[in-house]
Amino acid sequence: MNSIIKKAALALGMVAFAQVGHAAGDASAGQAKAATCVACHGADGNSPAPTFPKIAGLGEKYLLKQLRDVKSGARSIPEMTGQLDNMSDQDLQDIAAFYASQNIQISGSTAFSVMLNNGDNVDGLALGREIYRAGNSETGVPACMGCHSPTGLGNAPAAYPRLSGQYAEYVEKQLKAFRAGTRANDGDTRIMRTVARQLSDAEIKAVANYVAGLTE
């Protein structure tokens, strides 16, 4: 438990040193270069379906890192295979700048009950709020808001993405991918993989639902 919390603290302590590469994108140029992204992510980064993430307002550094990781193969997204092959790094910076400048539309949370590992049914929205704001001391899960902020807006300078308003289905999918290790581009601290391994299916579903409706 202590090692997980220490890793979370380390990730926070490294904010001042979080370097994803110089982000000097031109949002106006990026709008034109993002023409091929529209079909999946929408004209303004608000994708029409939870199959694809909303990328509006996620933070320029975070978006640039993901684009670079997809292009290099560090992050595998089958739907994006070949999409970035002919783009320069400046193209990626411009696209990141454009989508970072857009406003995300809040997906919204839903009320539901979820079954814990002990068989108890609990309020899913309340559980999600507890995990996001306080973590789980019994399993060593730190509060999500430590990196992603109390309002879910993330930490743009540190490349911690905004979660507020994202599709619950997408957040759930990514947390399970981190837990399984099939997504592993969370840096040397491995903070997302470490935390996700301690989350149950119920906790993942609950926190994903909570952030979908989290507002400022």
Side-chain angles (χ1 to χ4, degrees), residues 35-120:
T36 58
C37 310
V38 171
C40 295
H41 296 290
D44 63 351
N46 286 287
S47 64
T51 306
F52 306 104
K54 296 180 181 183
I55 56 177
L58 295 196
E60 188 173 346
K61 279 191 174 183
Y62 174 78
L63 289 170
L64 178 56
K65 181 183 188 304
Q66 301 313 303
L67 288 169
R68 285 173 171 168
D69 284 355
V70 169
K71 184 175 181 179
S72 70
R75 181 178 178 186
S76 176
I77 302 179
E79 295 87 348
M80 292 189 69
T81 300
Q83 294 290 323
L84 307 179
D85 289 355
N86 295 323
M87 290 189 176
S88 67
D89 195 67
Q90 186 62 55
D91 292 335
L92 302 186
Q93 292 182 51
D94 293 344
I95 291 172
F98 167 65
Y99 281 121
S101 70
Q102 303 302 297
N103 295 317
I104 197 169
Q105 297 172 4
I106 303 299
S107 296
S109 302
T110 58
F112 72 104
S113 63
V114 63
M115 182 179 290
L116 302 179
N117 290 338
N118 63 8
D120 290 343

Side-chain angles (χ1 to χ4, degrees), residues 1 6 17 61-62 70 85 92 95 169 175 186-187 196 204:
M1 179 178 74
K6 285 179 181 178
F17 302 97
K61 279 191 174 183
Y62 174 78
V70 169
D85 289 355
L92 302 186
I95 291 172
E169 297 91 335
L175 285 172
D186 52 341
I204 286 177

